[in-house]
Amino acid sequence: MDTKDIKILLVDDEPDILEIVSYNLSSEGYQVYTAKNGVEGVAKAKKKNPHLIILDVMMPEMDGIEACEIIRNTPGLESTIITFLTARGEDYSQVAGFDAGADDYITKPIKPKVLVSKVKALLRRLKEDKKDAEEIVKVGNIVINREEYKIINDGEEVLLPRKEFELLSLLTSKPNKVFKREVIMDKVWGNEVVVGGRTIDVHIRKLREKIGDHHFKTVKGVGYKFVL
């Protein structure tokens, strides 16, 4: 996919941020759309179907957390990459963001060139070669459609954000195998993107809620495994 074909939505209530970030991303050749609050961001996301959404947390009318949750539950936007760009660096804010379905968390202030590099790293996920992987995999009562990012659990479709889907896909690729935390981080999030240490735990907790607690076992001090 060429850079000119990639659509990025920037949602922030600070005009300076919108101007600076959109200018730097547009200079790289991306199609950049902007919104000044969560309500406008959700509407534009549904209309433009962007590949990447950069969301501020604290905004008027609707904050970024709520906007992220709505976007994640919108058909067609399940695999959209979402990252928060905010001055709030507290752990609880990051956990709330991941709970809402975010893929990453970038803290302001950040130099434009560094932000562009992070955006490029996030977008590399769109270019991952999945030709060798089976598009539809059945593990027990779970059917995983990698091409459409769909999960069927006991006959019921389950909507999963991109990272939860990729984590489930990794763990189910080898049932009963213990995946070390560093392997999970590398395979699902990649080496280029720095995420909090609790990220894996948050995503496992969400999968337990949606797929079934009995399928996910913690191996203390090592990692996680999927069991039938």
Side-chain angles (χ1 to χ4, degrees):
M1 183 181 296
D2 293 334
T3 302
K4 63 181 177 60
D5 297 320
I6 295 176
K7 295 178 286 186
I8 299 176
L9 173 61
L10 174 63
V11 188
D12 201 300
D13 64 330
E14 297 182 40
D16 289 347
I17 294 293
L18 290 178
E19 181 179 355
I20 294 171
V21 176
S22 60
Y23 171 77
N24 281 275
L25 292 177
S26 296
S27 296
E28 294 292 323
Y30 301 115
Q31 298 180 45
V32 182
Y33 305 95
T34 61
K36 59 182 180 298
N37 58 59
V39 174
E40 186 179 332
V42 169
K44 197 156 286 189
K46 292 178 178 179
K47 182 178 180 180
K48 299 298 184 180
N49 194 19
H51 298 90
L52 169 67
I53 300 175
I54 303 174
L55 273 175
D56 187 19
V57 171
M58 298 299 292
M59 294 183 292
E61 297 189 47
M62 179 189 292
D63 64 29
I65 302 295
E66 185 179 356
C68 182
E69 290 177 336
I70 294 173
I71 290 169
R72 276 292 179 236
N73 286 293
T74 300
L77 295 176
E78 301 94 338
S79 62
T80 298
I81 300 171
I82 300 177
T83 183
F84 282 111
L85 174 63
T86 175
R88 299 184 64 181
E90 300 90 346
D91 285 344
Y92 74 86
S93 181
Q94 293 190 32
V95 171
F98 289 127
D99 274 350
D103 297 297
D104 198 16
Y105 200 102
I106 302 172
T107 304
K108 293 187 266 189
I110 184 171
K111 295 181 179 179
K113 287 186 178 180
V114 176
L115 176 61
V116 169
S117 295
K118 284 186 171 291
V119 165
K120 288 180 177 179
L122 287 165
L123 290 171
R124 285 192 194 106
R125 299 170 185 175
L126 297 174
K127 302 177 182 179
E128 292 176 353
D129 186 8
K130 298 181 180 178
K131 292 180 180 178
D132 295 331
E134 292 182 65
E135 295 300 339
I136 299 179
V137 178
K138 191 174 188 300
V139 184
N141 293 324
I142 301 171
V143 178
I144 303 172
N145 188 323
R146 301 177 193 273
E147 185 174 28
E148 298 181 12
Y149 272 78
K150 283 185 178 180
I151 300 292
I152 305 296
N153 185 24
D154 287 330
E156 298 288 333
E157 184 173 347
V158 180
L159 187 64
L160 294 181
R162 185 184 181 92
K163 291 295 102 179
E164 289 176 26
F165 180 93
E166 292 179 354
L167 177 55
L168 178 65
S169 183
L170 173 65
L171 295 179
T172 55
S173 66
K174 294 183 179 180
N176 298 313
K177 170 184 170 62
V178 178
F179 286 87
K180 295 181 179 179
R181 295 178 66 88
E182 55 266 31
V183 172
I184 294 174
M185 190 66 74
D186 178 58
K187 295 292 186 181
V188 178
W189 280 271
N191 294 322
E192 305 91 347
V193 181
V194 178
V195 293
R198 297 178 62 188
T199 301
I200 297 175
D201 305 323
V202 170
H203 284 71
I204 288 289
R205 176 167 60 79
K206 300 298 287 186
L207 285 176
R208 280 175 167 152
E209 293 172 357
K210 298 174 181 178
I211 303 298
D213 181 68
H214 61 287
H215 284 306
F216 303 92
K217 300 299 180 183
T218 303
V219 180
K220 193 172 182 180
V222 182
Y224 293 96
K225 66 177 180 178
F226 179 88
V227 296
L228 295 172

